[in-house]
Amino acid sequence: MDDNENEFSPEQSLRLISSMIETTKNSLKDSSHYFLLWGWAVMIACIGQYYLKVIVNYPNHYIVWWITPFVLLVHVFFIVRDRKKEKVRTFINEAGSYLWTAIGLSFFATSFVFGKIGWEHCYPFYIILYGIGTYVSGSLIKFKPLIIGGIICFPLTIITAYLGFDYQIIMLALAILVSYIIPGYLLRTKYKKQQVNV
Amino acid sequence: MFKDLDPILHSQLRLAVISLLISVKEAEFTFIREKTNSTAGNLSVQINKLKDAGYIEVLKQFKDNYPQTICKVTPAGIKAFELYVKNLQSYLTIKK
């Protein structure tokens, strides 16, 4: 781009402004790996817990959730790696990181609550937290699969509250599938298409 | 008659830079260069002009032992950009 001030008409100015704003609007950050990391971790934990509790009647079926600290470490590794590559900070990215920090802190704080009142009550609350996170995140980046996945979590929360614990595990797996795993893959596909078109 | 357009902003590359920065929180020099398709030398000169006008803030730092230049629009830059767009609009309305 040259700096030819004399040949620059007001019409060209407006076109330039809108094309530059469009450029930043389209620079969607690929955050699919976070959704897929947590999505598959929760899915594997749900399948593991269902197997241990329902199929083999193992009393310490909760041990599968010890996967969480390891996933958290991978998550931190992703954050550090992504920060290094980050060339631009948008307000949307910033709002998204505040949102997920709040959701992460909610999981942390509620773990103390469920430690006190009993873990058998936790799944409807976790499903609603998935719903809030993905609905707001999807709305921020205007990505329908995340919005729809998030919205589905709300009725799933209500249904889960009325089910026995064994079925609640299946509902949690279903919630993570519709709110994290499916939108995660679709987000990755969209990002790859965007990279090809740039 | 339309109001004079701000000469600092009424230049292709400087306007491209400020239009990019207006829609983000902050951006690296390399990102701006990539998006505006400009040369490092020219971009550097234009960024300095915007900085001298008080329209952008330029932060030089090191990231993993490499120098990094981060640009951010200032409140004065936002105001100037808004006025520039308003003047452009009034000019185009008169022209119609």
Side-chain angles (χ1 to χ4, degrees), chain B residues 25-46:
Chain B
K25 195 182 173 238
E26 56 188 34
E28 250 185 56
F29 182 86
T30 48
F31 175 84
I32 303 171
R33 198 185 60 194
E34 205 177 282
K35 298 293 173 190
T36 57
N37 204 14
S38 56
T39 62
N42 192 14
L43 181 61
S44 186
V45 171
Q46 305 313 325

mmCIF file of all heavy atoms in Angstrom, chain B residues 25-46:
data_model
loop_
_atom_site.group_PDB
_atom_site.id
_atom_site.type_symbol
_atom_site.label_atom_id
_atom_site.label_comp_id
_atom_site.label_asym_id
_atom_site.label_seq_id
_atom_site.Cartn_x
_atom_site.Cartn_y
_atom_site.Cartn_z
ATOM 1 N N LYS B 25 -8.116 -4.140 20.185
ATOM 2 C CA LYS B 25 -7.586 -3.536 21.403
ATOM 3 C C LYS B 25 -6.151 -3.065 21.170
ATOM 4 O O LYS B 25 -5.783 -1.954 21.508
ATOM 5 C CB LYS B 25 -7.637 -4.544 22.555
ATOM 6 C CG LYS B 25 -7.454 -3.886 23.889
ATOM 7 C CD LYS B 25 -7.443 -4.864 25.013
ATOM 8 C CE LYS B 25 -7.084 -4.131 26.277
ATOM 9 N NZ LYS B 25 -5.887 -4.684 26.912
ATOM 10 N N GLU B 26 -5.356 -3.934 20.577
ATOM 11 C CA GLU B 26 -3.978 -3.589 20.219
ATOM 12 C C GLU B 26 -3.490 -4.565 19.159
ATOM 13 O O GLU B 26 -4.029 -5.675 19.037
ATOM 14 C CB GLU B 26 -3.057 -3.623 21.448
ATOM 15 C CG GLU B 26 -3.071 -4.935 22.190
ATOM 16 C CD GLU B 26 -2.309 -4.901 23.502
ATOM 17 O OE1 GLU B 26 -2.303 -3.871 24.179
ATOM 18 O OE2 GLU B 26 -1.722 -5.939 23.828
ATOM 19 N N ALA B 27 -2.511 -4.146 18.383
ATOM 20 C CA ALA B 27 -2.007 -5.034 17.333
ATOM 21 C C ALA B 27 -0.515 -4.877 17.179
ATOM 22 O O ALA B 27 0.045 -3.799 17.399
ATOM 23 C CB ALA B 27 -2.704 -4.726 16.016
ATOM 24 N N GLU B 28 0.130 -5.991 16.797
ATOM 25 C CA GLU B 28 1.568 -5.979 16.567
ATOM 26 C C GLU B 28 1.882 -5.351 15.218
ATOM 27 O O GLU B 28 1.064 -5.449 14.292
ATOM 28 C CB GLU B 28 2.072 -7.424 16.550
ATOM 29 C CG GLU B 28 2.898 -7.789 17.728
ATOM 30 C CD GLU B 28 3.472 -9.186 17.584
ATOM 31 O OE1 GLU B 28 4.151 -9.458 16.595
ATOM 32 O OE2 GLU B 28 3.202 -9.994 18.478
ATOM 33 N N PHE B 29 3.055 -4.764 15.119
ATOM 34 C CA PHE B 29 3.517 -4.125 13.883
ATOM 35 C C PHE B 29 3.394 -5.110 12.701
ATOM 36 O O PHE B 29 2.910 -4.749 11.624
ATOM 37 C CB PHE B 29 4.974 -3.694 14.075
ATOM 38 C CG PHE B 29 5.569 -2.984 12.903
ATOM 39 C CD1 PHE B 29 5.426 -1.614 12.747
ATOM 40 C CD2 PHE B 29 6.283 -3.685 11.940
ATOM 41 C CE1 PHE B 29 5.975 -0.961 11.661
ATOM 42 C CE2 PHE B 29 6.836 -3.038 10.853
ATOM 43 C CZ PHE B 29 6.682 -1.675 10.711
ATOM 44 N N THR B 30 3.802 -6.358 12.934
ATOM 45 C CA THR B 30 3.789 -7.355 11.844
ATOM 46 C C THR B 30 2.367 -7.638 11.354
ATOM 47 O O THR B 30 2.141 -7.854 10.167
ATOM 48 C CB THR B 30 4.435 -8.675 12.306
ATOM 49 O OG1 THR B 30 3.877 -9.017 13.566
ATOM 50 C CG2 THR B 30 5.930 -8.566 12.409
ATOM 51 N N PHE B 31 1.416 -7.615 12.284
ATOM 52 C CA PHE B 31 0.002 -7.831 11.919
ATOM 53 C C PHE B 31 -0.477 -6.692 11.019
ATOM 54 O O PHE B 31 -1.106 -6.918 9.984
ATOM 55 C CB PHE B 31 -0.846 -7.908 13.198
ATOM 56 C CG PHE B 31 -2.335 -8.010 12.950
ATOM 57 C CD1 PHE B 31 -2.927 -9.238 12.697
ATOM 58 C CD2 PHE B 31 -3.142 -6.875 12.978
ATOM 59 C CE1 PHE B 31 -4.291 -9.339 12.469
ATOM 60 C CE2 PHE B 31 -4.507 -6.960 12.751
ATOM 61 C CZ PHE B 31 -5.079 -8.205 12.492
ATOM 62 N N ILE B 32 -0.143 -5.456 11.411
ATOM 63 C CA ILE B 32 -0.576 -4.285 10.628
ATOM 64 C C ILE B 32 0.068 -4.328 9.234
ATOM 65 O O ILE B 32 -0.588 -4.081 8.233
ATOM 66 C CB ILE B 32 -0.216 -2.965 11.358
ATOM 67 C CG1 ILE B 32 -0.835 -2.953 12.756
ATOM 68 C CG2 ILE B 32 -0.692 -1.752 10.568
ATOM 69 C CD1 ILE B 32 -0.364 -1.813 13.635
ATOM 70 N N ARG B 33 1.348 -4.686 9.198
ATOM 71 C CA ARG B 33 2.065 -4.744 7.920
ATOM 72 C C ARG B 33 1.421 -5.773 6.984
ATOM 73 O O ARG B 33 1.203 -5.515 5.813
ATOM 74 C CB ARG B 33 3.532 -5.118 8.175
ATOM 75 C CG ARG B 33 4.432 -4.787 7.002
ATOM 76 C CD ARG B 33 5.827 -5.277 7.224
ATOM 77 N NE ARG B 33 5.843 -6.721 7.390
ATOM 78 C CZ ARG B 33 6.869 -7.420 7.867
ATOM 79 N NH1 ARG B 33 7.949 -6.806 8.248
ATOM 80 N NH2 ARG B 33 6.820 -8.722 7.980
ATOM 81 N N GLU B 34 1.083 -6.922 7.584
ATOM 82 C CA GLU B 34 0.451 -8.013 6.823
ATOM 83 C C GLU B 34 -0.904 -7.568 6.262
ATOM 84 O O GLU B 34 -1.199 -7.745 5.093
ATOM 85 C CB GLU B 34 0.233 -9.148 7.817
ATOM 86 C CG GLU B 34 0.152 -10.535 7.268
ATOM 87 C CD GLU B 34 0.008 -11.500 8.443
ATOM 88 O OE1 GLU B 34 1.024 -11.795 9.131
ATOM 89 O OE2 GLU B 34 -1.127 -11.912 8.695
ATOM 90 N N LYS B 35 -1.721 -6.948 7.110
ATOM 91 C CA LYS B 35 -3.083 -6.589 6.718
ATOM 92 C C LYS B 35 -3.134 -5.390 5.766
ATOM 93 O O LYS B 35 -4.041 -5.279 4.958
ATOM 94 C CB LYS B 35 -3.960 -6.296 7.951
ATOM 95 C CG LYS B 35 -4.123 -7.472 8.882
ATOM 96 C CD LYS B 35 -4.920 -8.591 8.259
ATOM 97 C CE LYS B 35 -4.935 -9.821 9.148
ATOM 98 N NZ LYS B 35 -5.499 -10.998 8.502
ATOM 99 N N THR B 36 -2.165 -4.475 5.912
ATOM 100 C CA THR B 36 -2.185 -3.296 5.037
ATOM 101 C C THR B 36 -1.341 -3.530 3.783
ATOM 102 O O THR B 36 -1.323 -2.686 2.888
ATOM 103 C CB THR B 36 -1.661 -2.040 5.769
ATOM 104 O OG1 THR B 36 -0.343 -2.318 6.242
ATOM 105 C CG2 THR B 36 -2.551 -1.634 6.907
ATOM 106 N N ASN B 37 -0.652 -4.665 3.764
ATOM 107 C CA ASN B 37 0.158 -5.028 2.607
ATOM 108 C C ASN B 37 1.188 -3.924 2.292
ATOM 109 O O ASN B 37 1.341 -3.512 1.142
ATOM 110 C CB ASN B 37 -0.786 -5.264 1.425
ATOM 111 C CG ASN B 37 -0.174 -6.163 0.389
ATOM 112 O OD1 ASN B 37 0.834 -6.813 0.669
ATOM 113 N ND2 ASN B 37 -0.741 -6.177 -0.807
ATOM 114 N N SER B 38 1.854 -3.441 3.333
ATOM 115 C CA SER B 38 2.802 -2.336 3.148
ATOM 116 C C SER B 38 4.229 -2.799 3.445
ATOM 117 O O SER B 38 4.433 -3.894 3.965
ATOM 118 C CB SER B 38 2.429 -1.192 4.077
ATOM 119 O OG SER B 38 2.392 -1.646 5.402
ATOM 120 N N THR B 39 5.181 -1.940 3.151
ATOM 121 C CA THR B 39 6.575 -2.289 3.463
ATOM 122 C C THR B 39 6.878 -1.813 4.888
ATOM 123 O O THR B 39 6.260 -0.855 5.374
ATOM 124 C CB THR B 39 7.553 -1.592 2.492
ATOM 125 O OG1 THR B 39 7.404 -0.172 2.659
ATOM 126 C CG2 THR B 39 7.289 -1.976 1.052
ATOM 127 N N ALA B 40 7.829 -2.470 5.525
ATOM 128 C CA ALA B 40 8.165 -2.139 6.916
ATOM 129 C C ALA B 40 8.628 -0.683 7.038
ATOM 130 O O ALA B 40 8.240 0.017 7.972
ATOM 131 C CB ALA B 40 9.231 -3.086 7.424
ATOM 132 N N GLY B 41 9.433 -0.235 6.089
ATOM 133 C CA GLY B 41 9.975 1.130 6.139
ATOM 134 C C GLY B 41 8.877 2.179 6.065
ATOM 135 O O GLY B 41 8.795 3.069 6.921
ATOM 136 N N ASN B 42 8.010 2.050 5.067
ATOM 137 C CA ASN B 42 6.906 3.003 4.889
ATOM 138 C C ASN B 42 5.961 2.969 6.086
ATOM 139 O O ASN B 42 5.578 4.016 6.629
ATOM 140 C CB ASN B 42 6.159 2.672 3.585
ATOM 141 C CG ASN B 42 5.191 3.779 3.198
ATOM 142 O OD1 ASN B 42 5.245 4.881 3.729
ATOM 143 N ND2 ASN B 42 4.301 3.476 2.277
ATOM 144 N N LEU B 43 5.630 1.765 6.521
ATOM 145 C CA LEU B 43 4.703 1.637 7.652
ATOM 146 C C LEU B 43 5.286 2.293 8.907
ATOM 147 O O LEU B 43 4.591 2.997 9.642
ATOM 148 C CB LEU B 43 4.389 0.156 7.915
ATOM 149 C CG LEU B 43 3.420 -0.124 9.052
ATOM 150 C CD1 LEU B 43 2.055 0.507 8.782
ATOM 151 C CD2 LEU B 43 3.242 -1.615 9.277
ATOM 152 N N SER B 44 6.570 2.075 9.107
ATOM 153 C CA SER B 44 7.240 2.642 10.271
ATOM 154 C C SER B 44 7.150 4.180 10.269
ATOM 155 O O SER B 44 6.855 4.796 11.301
ATOM 156 C CB SER B 44 8.685 2.169 10.242
ATOM 157 O OG SER B 44 9.319 2.552 11.384
ATOM 158 N N VAL B 45 7.360 4.776 9.096
ATOM 159 C CA VAL B 45 7.284 6.241 8.960
ATOM 160 C C VAL B 45 5.861 6.722 9.281
ATOM 161 O O VAL B 45 5.662 7.681 10.049
ATOM 162 C CB VAL B 45 7.690 6.671 7.514
ATOM 163 C CG1 VAL B 45 7.413 8.157 7.293
ATOM 164 C CG2 VAL B 45 9.160 6.362 7.268
ATOM 165 N N GLN B 46 4.869 6.046 8.713
ATOM 166 C CA GLN B 46 3.471 6.465 8.904
ATOM 167 C C GLN B 46 3.012 6.261 10.355
ATOM 168 O O GLN B 46 2.274 7.078 10.901
ATOM 169 C CB GLN B 46 2.530 5.715 7.946
ATOM 170 C CG GLN B 46 2.891 5.836 6.477
ATOM 171 C CD GLN B 46 3.203 7.269 6.046
ATOM 172 O OE1 GLN B 46 2.610 8.237 6.524
ATOM 173 N NE2 GLN B 46 4.171 7.407 5.140
#
